Amino acid sequence: MVQSLAELGARLASRAPVVGTESGRQAAVAAVLRERDPALGPEVLLIRRAERAGDPWSGHMAFPGGRREPNDADLLATALRETREEVGLDLASHARLLGRLDDVDAVARGQRVGMVIAPYVFALHADAPLAPGADEVAEALWTPVLPLYRGESRTTYPYTHGTVRYDLPAHRVGDRIVWGLTYHMLESLFRIARNP
């Protein structure tokens, strides 16, 4: 296990992330970490997406992020813009980029949707208030990383696709469930933290 966010940043910088080659739609998210109390370890920022008809990720726990827009210079710019729009956090001023995780193929309702998501990891260096955008984000919260990392919050999420029920791996955060794409991104981050 890494001892600090600086060490995590060094591990992220020493590896080449697997970058998606799909030529379809692109998106990016920001896994934002902060260190508050050294005894308790870092916290990670999660959002609960607003309930919206037609949104396959409606109501899900997630990292701030979204689709790349034509004016975004690159996917890092997408992660910065989306985080500012969704939770009012200016990562360019309040955080340092630690690195990028492997890209993830977006899946909704058990099907690939032709979109690749680039997860970027940031360390917050200056505390800043969160201002969730009500139209996209129902809530934003900080949660300790160590219970997730150690598997203390591990659970399953019952998901039915067609007539088949699956018990998908997940983390419990209070009364919320983190599953699917965000769960897999967290696990990717934890693998890097565990393995030098």
Side-chain angles (χ1 to χ4, degrees):
M1 168 67 176
V2 295
Q3 299 302 311
S4 67
L5 294 183
E7 186 181 345
L8 177 60
R11 288 197 187 173
L12 285 165
S14 71
R15 61 183 293 281
V18 176
V19 176
T21 57
E22 189 158 333
S23 59
R25 296 175 296 162
Q26 296 177 311
V29 298
V32 184
L33 302 167
R34 71 177 183 183
E35 292 188 278
R36 298 282 289 212
D37 181 343
L40 299 176
E43 295 176 317
V44 64
L45 175 63
L46 294 171
I47 64 169
R48 183 169 51 85
R49 298 208 167 277
E51 302 279 344
R52 292 171 31 170
D55 178 355
W57 299 288
S58 174
H60 289 200
M61 297 300 293
F63 294 127
R67 291 189 182 124
R68 182 176 184 177
E69 291 185 356
N71 291 338
D72 293 337
D74 53 24
L75 287 168
L76 176 57
T78 301
L80 295 171
R81 176 186 53 75
E82 284 284 342
T83 302
R84 191 173 53 255
E85 290 175 3
E86 291 187 345
V87 295
L89 180 56
D90 182 357
L91 293 173
S93 299
H94 294 92
R96 177 173 60 93
L97 176 65
L98 296 181
R100 182 174 173 173
L101 302 175
D102 294 344
D103 286 359
V104 177
D105 289 325
V107 175
R109 299 182 185 97
Q111 302 292 319
R112 288 186 176 188
V113 297
M115 181 167 57
V116 171
I117 303 171
Y120 290 90
V121 182
F122 294 86
L124 202 66
H125 57 68
D127 222 1
L130 301 177
D135 57 330
E136 291 187 73
V137 177
E139 75 177 316
L141 61 112
W142 293 98
T143 191
V145 171
L146 288 178
L148 306 175
Y149 175 83
R150 293 189 294 235
E152 295 166 8
S153 63
R154 190 149 295 150
T155 187
T156 58
Y157 178 78
Y159 178 77
T160 303
H161 182 68
T163 59
V164 180
R165 179 188 155 149
Y166 301 93
D167 288 322
L168 301 176
H171 289 291
R172 181 173 296 284
V173 174
D175 61 350
R176 304 159 195 87
I177 301 293
V178 178
W179 66 287
L181 296 170
T182 305
Y183 172 87
H184 289 293
M185 291 177 206
L186 279 169
E187 291 301 307
S188 176
L189 180 65
F190 297 158
R191 279 191 297 277
I192 293 166
R194 284 186 187 103
N195 301 311

